[in-house]
């Protein structure tokens, strides 16, 4: 297993887990923008669960590659949806945030397929 792949995958999982925890603990710097973007409060916990499941899937993918691929694709789609949500809310200056979380997950997928 490629060392760069492992490092990037663990980092991507950490980022997704951190993002999930930020929603679970209702960190103001996360939930206030969600409210500003028009994301219903009833969606917040399921969105956190999706990110937490993706983080666990990335880690599991180190041993079961199909799980890692599925989790990676799911997280990339999740964060692409976040980019769309931010743009639809006319907060283009915030697009960097979901892209920052998406980048290591996308890199993990690329490195996984390259291995």
């Amino acid at each position: 297993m490629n060392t760069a792949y492992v490092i990037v995958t663990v980092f991507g999982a950490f980022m997704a887990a951190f993002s999930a925890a930020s929603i679970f603990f209702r960190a103001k710097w996360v939930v206030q923008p969600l409210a500003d973007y028009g994301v219903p409060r009833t969606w917040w916990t399921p969105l956190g669960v999706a990110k937490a499941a993706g983080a666990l899937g990335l880690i599991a993918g180190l041993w079961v590659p199909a799980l890692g691929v599925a989790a990676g694709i799911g997280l990339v789609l999740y964060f692409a949806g976040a980019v769309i949500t931010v743009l639809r809310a006319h907060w283009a200056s915030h697009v960097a945030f979901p892209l920052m979380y998406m980048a290591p997950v996308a890199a993990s997928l690329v490195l996984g397929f390259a291995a």
Side-chain angles (χ1 to χ4, degrees), residues 32-58:
Q32 185 58 53
L34 288 176
D36 292 344
Y37 305 150
V39 177
R41 191 177 191 101
T42 57
W43 292 13
W44 295 358
T45 298
L47 292 172
V49 169
K51 289 189 272 190
L56 290 172
L58 284 178

Side-chain angles (χ1 to χ4, degrees), residues 6-35:
V6 173
I7 291 169
V8 170
T9 299
V10 170
F11 181 69
F14 171 80
M15 293 286 289
F18 176 78
S19 183
S22 298
I23 288 180
F24 293 146
F25 293 112
R26 302 295 192 251
K28 184 176 173 100
W29 53 272
V30 172
V31 297
Q32 185 58 53
L34 288 176

